[in-house]
Amino acid sequence: MEENSLTVLEGTVRAVIFQNPENGYTVLRLTVGDETVTCVGTLPGVAAGEGLRLYGAWTSHASYGQQFKAEHAERSLPVGSAAIYDYLASGAIRGIGARTARLIVSEFGAQTLDVIENSPEELVKIKGITQKKAEAMSRSFREQTGLRRLMEFLVDNGVKPVSAARLYRVYGEEAEAELTRNPYILADEYFGLDFFTADAFAVKLGFAPDARERVGAAVAFELRHNEGNGHVFLPADKLTAATAQLIEVSPETVEGVMAAMTDSGELVRERVAGVEAVYLPDMYEAETEVASRLAALASRRADKVPGLDILMQRAQYGCGITFAQKQRMALELAASSHVCVLTGGPGTGKTTTVRGILGLYDEMGLRTLLTAPTGRAAKRLTELTGREAQTVHRLLGAGAPEAGEAMREFQKCAEDQLECDAVILDETSMVDIKLMAALLDAMPAGCRLVMVGDADQLPSVGPGNVFGDVIRSGVVPVIALTDIFRQARESAIVKNAHCINRGEVPSLKNAGGDFFFLRRPDPEGVTRTVTELISSRLPKNMGIDPRDIQVLSPSRKYAGGTRELNEAIQRELNPPSPDKKEKTVGGVTFRVGDRVMQTRNNYDILWVKGDSAQKTDDDTAPTKAETGTGIFNGDVGYIEDMDEGTGAARIRFDDRLVTCPFEEMTELELAYAVTVHKAQGSEYRAVILALPKCPPGLISRSVLYTAVTRARELLIVTGGAEIFAAMVANDKRQRRYSGLRARLAGEVT
C-alpha cells in the first residue's frame, strides 16, 4: 500500500540487530505476517516485541540483499503475554533479563507493562526484586515510552525524529512540553536542526508570525549565523534590519523583542569603539574573559631570571645554531613576560625561535605544553620540536557533554586546570574567541603564554580575530621576525610569498624550482589541469603520491571551486566499481578510499586509537585500545569501510578510527580539494592552487598568501594571470565585528 508516496510496512519486531544509542539508527528484523524482513532507520529505543508501522521504501544492497528503509514509524507497545515477554527479555528495560521477564509475565500477564509503568511497588512480589530495583525498572520503561511519544510528536508535526534521542537526553519526560512551549529550541546546534525547520514546526503548532519566541529565535539565529562569517557581535541597527527581513516583521517589532531579551539576559548590549554592539551571552563572556585574562597577563612582569645569558646560550646550543638578533630578543621577551606574541612570515625562523623558547623554558625549569588548533598543525609542531604537541581541543579534554547538558564542555577549565608553567600556542591566527577563552580559563595562575603565528594569514574560521586584535591593541608585547634566512631565500615559494605580502606580483615565468604557474583562462581548463596533475603528472613525473598533494581553491560553489574539483578528482583517483562500497548522503557520494574532512565539531562520536586487536611485542595478548570521543572541524581522514548492516562507515583520522553512522556523514565533505580557509594551519608536501574566476570577496591578498604558504616542497598555481594579479593588488580584509582590540585598549563604554 502507498501513503504520501511511501510504502507502509506493519509488523512486530522480532530482533534488533544493531542500534546506535546516540542517534537511534537501528537495524532490525520485522515479522510481517508469515515473513521476516530486514528494516533500517532512525528508531531510538525500539525493542523486540514492539509493534511497528513503518513508512519508507524498499532498497537492495549487493551484500545484504533487500531491506526496508524507514523514513518514520508509528510504534505500539507489545500486546499479549508472549509479545510482552519478548520485549522484556530483549533487555529493553534496564535490570530485566530473560529470567526476570519470565517471572514478571507469569505473575502479571497482559497487565505487566501497566504494572511496571504505574504500580512498580507490585513488582516486589517477585523474588529478587527490591523496591529500589522496581523503581529503577519503572524509570527505564518510562524513558522508553517517553522517547516513543516524543518521536511520534515530532513526526506528526513534520519533523524527522533524528533529534529525538538528544532532546530526551536534555529534557527527559518534559521534552514534548518544552517543544510545545518553545519549538525554537530545535534550532540549537546540539539538536542538529536549523531555524527554518524549527520555524515550520512552530507554524504547525500555531505560533503567530510576530510571536516573541519566533522573533527572539530569529535574532539568535542571525547572531549565530554570522558567527560563521567571523563576527563576535553585530551592530544593533544591522541586526534589527536583517532579522526583520528574514521573518518579514517590522523593525519596531524586532527592536521591542531585542529590548526584552536584553532585560532577560538573553542578549548583551554594549558600546564598543563607538558601535552599539549586540552579543549572545556566551560570545560576550568569551570576549570579555579573553580581554581580561590577556590584560592581566600583560600587566605582570616575570621575576628576573638569574643567569639568563647562560641559559640562552644553552638553549642556543641545543638548537645547534646561532640565534639572530630578533630571535634573541624573542627569547628574552619570553623569559621576562607572562604573555607575548611571536610573528613572522615563511623562512623568517619562527620554528627555530619556538625551539629556542622551549629549550630556554626547559633550562628555567618550566613545564611547557605545546598546542595548535588543528591536528595537522599539532603534528607538524611535534615533528619540528621533537616534543609532543596536542590540538587545543585534546589538550583541554573536549568530549561529549554529560547527560542533561546540551552544550559542549572541556574537561580542563578553571576547576580542573592544566598542569604546566607555560603554554606555546602555534598557528594562533586560526584560534577563534571561544577556543582562546577556554584555553586561558584552563591555564593556572602564573602560567606563561607564547602566541605564535603569521599575522598576514587569514583570520580564524570561527568568530573573532584574536591574533590580529591582540597585535593591533598594543597591549601585548610583540616580536616580528622579518629577516629571511639564506636557505629559505633559495625557495621560490618563500620569495614569492613575501613578494605577494608586499603587494608585488612575482614573476610567473616557469624557470624551474618549487613554484610553477600554468595559465588556464577558463574554469573547465583549470579543473582538467588540476585533475591531470594530481592523478598522473605529479605521481608519474615527480614521484609524489596523490595523498601528499592537496588541491586548494578560494571558492566552494563556483566553477573551479572545491565542490566541482572534488567530484572530478574522485572520478579519477577513486572511481565507482562493483566491488567498492559507496553511499550518497546529502547529495555527496562517498566511497571507500575517499579522503574526507569533518566540517563541524562532533563531541559525541567515539574513536579508537590504533587497532583494537593490536598485539603486544611478544605477540601473546592484545593491548587495550585507547578510546575517546570527539572529531573536530578540519580533521581529515580516509574511509576504510562501509557497512549497510550497521548503517555506518569506518573512517580513519590519522591514528584514530571512528564508526560514523551514515546520517552523520552530512558532517563530512570530500577533501581531495579544500578551500584555502580550511587549509589554514596545515602544511603539505605539494599544493595545487586552482584560481578560476571567483567571487570578489575571495579575490584578496590574504587568501593568496595563505594558500601559497601551505606548500612545503612544491606549489603549482593554475588559472588566470589576471586573477593572480588582482589578488595581490587587493589588500582589503573583510571587516569582522570583534571587540577584543577595543577592550584591550580600553575603548568600551
Side-chain angles (χ1 to χ4, degrees):
M1 104 184 237
E2 298 288 331
E3 182 173 310
N4 295 330
S5 301
L6 295 177
T7 300
V8 180
L9 194 67
E10 191 166 2
T12 303
V13 179
R14 180 173 179 178
V16 175
I17 309 302
F18 169 82
Q19 187 164 83
N20 184 319
E22 194 56 51
N23 62 13
Y25 182 83
T26 304
V27 181
L28 57 82
R29 299 283 286 167
L30 188 73
T31 299
V32 183
D34 297 330
E35 185 181 8
T36 301
V37 299
T38 300
C39 303
V40 300
T42 302
L43 301 162
V46 73
E50 282 193 64
L52 292 181
R53 173 177 286 184
L54 302 178
Y55 297 83
W58 289 101
T59 61
S60 182
H61 188 271
S63 301
Y64 299 99
Q66 194 176 46
Q67 298 178 333
F68 189 82
K69 184 177 181 180
E71 295 294 327
H72 61 88
E74 295 174 3
R75 301 166 60 175
S76 59
L77 289 172
V79 177
S81 297
I84 292 173
Y85 169 76
D86 288 341
Y87 174 72
L88 296 180
S90 71
I93 299 178
R94 291 187 297 273
I96 300 180
R99 177 179 175 278
T100 304
R102 185 175 296 107
L103 293 173
I104 294 175
V105 174
S106 296
E107 176 70 26
F108 301 108
Q111 303 303 311
T112 294
L113 298 182
D114 181 65
V115 169
I116 294 173
E117 182 174 14
N118 300 308
S119 305
E121 65 279 1
E122 294 292 317
L123 295 174
V124 298
K125 296 178 180 178
I126 308 299
K127 185 178 180 181
I129 298 181
T130 64
Q131 183 66 34
K132 185 176 180 180
K133 286 183 179 180
E135 291 172 356
M137 292 172 183
S138 182
R139 187 163 54 250
S140 176
F141 178 66
R142 290 197 306 273
E143 288 176 5
Q144 294 296 334
T145 54
L147 186 58
R148 178 185 298 107
R149 285 193 296 267
L150 178 61
M151 286 183 63
E152 292 170 352
F153 176 66
L154 291 172
V155 171
D156 288 345
N157 287 281
V159 180
K160 291 184 178 180
V162 292
S163 300
R166 287 187 173 185
L167 281 163
Y168 200 84
R169 174 191 292 175
V170 175
Y171 296 108
E173 295 180 10
E174 299 300 316
E176 186 175 331
E178 286 292 328
L179 282 171
T180 302
R181 184 186 65 79
N182 184 6
Y184 292 97
I185 61 175
L186 282 173
D188 188 290
E189 182 185 13
Y190 180 71
F191 300 127
L193 299 176
D194 57 27
F195 169 79
F196 303 102
T197 300
D199 198 36
F201 181 37
V203 169
K204 283 182 175 290
L205 295 182
F207 278 73
D210 60 351
R212 198 288 197 186
E213 294 84 358
R214 183 172 190 255
V215 179
V219 169
F221 167 76
E222 285 290 350
L223 287 167
R224 286 287 181 225
H225 175 75
N226 277 283
E227 287 176 19
N229 296 325
H231 302 306
V232 181
F233 68 81
L234 287 180
D237 57 344
K238 292 183 181 295
L239 177 58
T240 299
T243 305
Q245 183 178 14
L246 176 71
I247 57 175
E248 299 181 335
V249 298
S250 70
E252 292 76 19
T253 299
V254 177
E255 288 172 357
V257 171
M258 285 173 55
M261 294 175 73
T262 304
D263 290 341
S264 66
E266 297 169 82
L267 297 176
V268 179
R269 298 178 73 150
E270 200 166 60
R271 196 154 192 84
V272 179
V275 175
E276 185 68 21
V278 182
Y279 293 83
L280 287 170
D282 62 325
M283 300 306 296
Y284 178 80
E285 182 180 348
E287 187 175 273
T288 53
E289 173 71 10
V290 170
S292 173
R293 291 294 299 271
L294 289 180
L297 287 171
S299 67
R300 293 185 59 181
R301 301 299 295 175
D303 295 335
K304 188 173 182 179
V305 180
L308 178 60
D309 287 342
I310 295 175
L311 297 181
M312 288 179 60
Q313 288 176 8
R314 290 177 181 171
Q316 181 173 262
Y317 179 78
C319 291
I321 64 162
T322 300
F323 291 133
Q325 180 183 6
K326 283 197 172 181
Q327 290 178 312
R328 287 186 60 85
M329 291 171 61
L331 266 68
E332 291 172 355
L333 183 61
S336 62
S337 305
H338 272 83
V339 62
C340 62
V341 167
L342 174 66
T343 184
T348 57
K350 282 201 311 294
T351 299
T352 301
T353 308
V354 168
R355 289 173 55 205
I357 293 172
L358 181 59
L360 175 61
Y361 281 170
D362 287 345
E363 294 291 342
M364 293 169 61
L366 302 180
R367 299 167 298 172
T368 306
L369 294 175
L370 300 177
T371 188
T374 68
R376 282 182 175 272
K379 184 177 181 180
R380 178 170 170 266
L381 188 58
T382 297
E383 293 168 351
L384 294 174
T385 62
R387 294 270 286 272
E388 181 188 9
Q390 294 178 281
T391 65
V392 181
H393 283 89
R394 301 212 180 285
L395 183 71
L396 299 181
E402 297 295 327
E405 296 176 342
M407 300 305 292
R408 76 183 190 185
E409 286 189 342
F410 292 101
Q411 180 182 341
K412 294 297 179 181
C413 56
E415 289 73 35
D416 181 14
Q417 294 185 316
L418 298 166
E419 296 180 2
C420 63
D421 304 303
V423 172
I424 297 178
L425 172 62
D426 199 10
E427 297 290 353
T428 310
S429 63
M430 294 184 63
V431 178
D432 65 40
I433 192 71
K434 292 194 74 172
L435 193 58
M436 180 59 79
L439 177 61
L440 289 168
D441 189 47
M443 287 170 46
C447 184
R448 300 164 186 253
L449 175 64
V450 179
M451 293 181 280
V452 184
D454 187 340
D456 295 309
Q457 287 185 23
L458 290 165
S460 58
V461 174
N465 186 15
V466 173
F467 199 50
D469 283 354
V470 169
I471 292 172
R472 289 187 299 114
S473 74
V475 172
V476 175
V478 177
I479 288 290
L481 304 178
T482 54
D483 296 331
I484 306 175
F485 288 88
R486 181 184 59 79
Q487 185 175 0
R489 287 199 298 268
E490 298 173 0
S491 165
I493 294 173
V494 173
K495 288 191 294 186
N496 290 344
H498 285 277
C499 278
I500 291 166
N501 210 20
R502 293 193 300 269
E504 303 168 5
V505 179
S507 172
L508 299 182
K509 293 181 180 179
N510 295 325
D514 55 9
F515 183 104
F516 297 88
F517 187 87
L518 304 180
R519 286 173 172 80
R520 299 294 184 269
D522 58 88
E524 294 77 14
V526 170
T527 299
R528 186 168 55 251
T529 299
V530 167
T531 305
E532 291 172 356
L533 285 167
I534 193 172
S535 65
S536 59
R537 290 168 63 178
L538 292 184
K540 290 178 181 177
N541 299 336
M542 302 188 70
I544 303 178
D545 191 300
R547 287 197 173 204
D548 293 329
I549 303 168
Q550 183 61 62
V551 176
L552 303 181
S553 176
S555 169
R556 277 177 53 84
K557 299 179 182 179
Y558 288 76
T562 58
R563 185 175 297 175
E564 180 180 291
L565 289 168
N566 272 314
E567 292 176 356
I569 297 169
Q570 185 192 46
R571 284 195 297 269
E572 289 294 322
L573 293 184
N574 195 24
S577 170
D579 59 352
K580 189 174 289 184
K581 299 174 184 177
E582 64 178 46
K583 186 74 176 178
T584 300
V585 182
V588 179
T589 298
F590 296 98
R591 201 167 286 134
V592 170
D594 277 336
R595 181 194 298 176
V596 295
M597 176 181 282
Q598 182 76 11
T599 60
R600 66 185 293 268
N601 293 339
N602 186 328
Y603 295 88
D604 299 328
I605 198 164
L606 176 71
W607 52 259
V608 178
K609 202 167 188 178
D611 296 320
S612 58
Q614 184 180 0
K615 299 288 185 178
T616 56
D617 291 339
D618 60 7
D619 204 33
T620 57
T623 59
K624 184 178 180 180
E626 179 185 346
T627 62
T629 57
I631 297 295
F632 306 108
N633 187 6
D635 286 352
V636 174
Y638 287 86
I639 300 176
E640 291 190 347
D641 193 17
M642 292 181 175
D643 190 341
E644 286 286 350
T646 61
R650 192 173 68 202
I651 306 172
R652 187 171 296 277
F653 293 89
D654 292 326
D655 58 351
R656 290 162 292 136
L657 188 65
V658 306
T659 299
C660 178
F662 290 152
E663 285 79 3
E664 295 189 12
M665 290 179 73
T666 55
E667 298 178 355
L668 297 173
E669 63 185 17
L670 294 174
Y672 299 105
V674 300
T675 63
V676 177
H677 278 84
K678 287 288 189 180
Q680 287 176 264
S682 298
E683 187 180 72
Y684 310 96
R685 181 184 176 189
V687 167
I688 303 170
L689 173 60
L691 288 184
K693 292 182 179 179
C694 55
L698 296 174
I699 299 177
S700 75
R701 186 184 302 173
S702 59
V703 171
L704 181 60
Y705 176 78
T706 301
V708 169
T709 53
R710 299 309 90 206
R712 184 171 68 248
E713 297 179 17
L714 177 67
L715 173 67
I716 299 177
V717 184
T718 179
E722 70 283 357
I723 298 293
F724 192 99
M727 297 181 82
V728 174
N730 181 20
D731 194 29
K732 293 181 180 178
R733 296 192 177 221
Q734 183 181 7
R735 180 179 182 182
R736 290 189 167 199
Y737 292 111
S738 164
L740 180 59
R741 185 207 62 78
R743 292 184 189 282
L744 287 169
E747 298 175 9
V748 177
T749 56

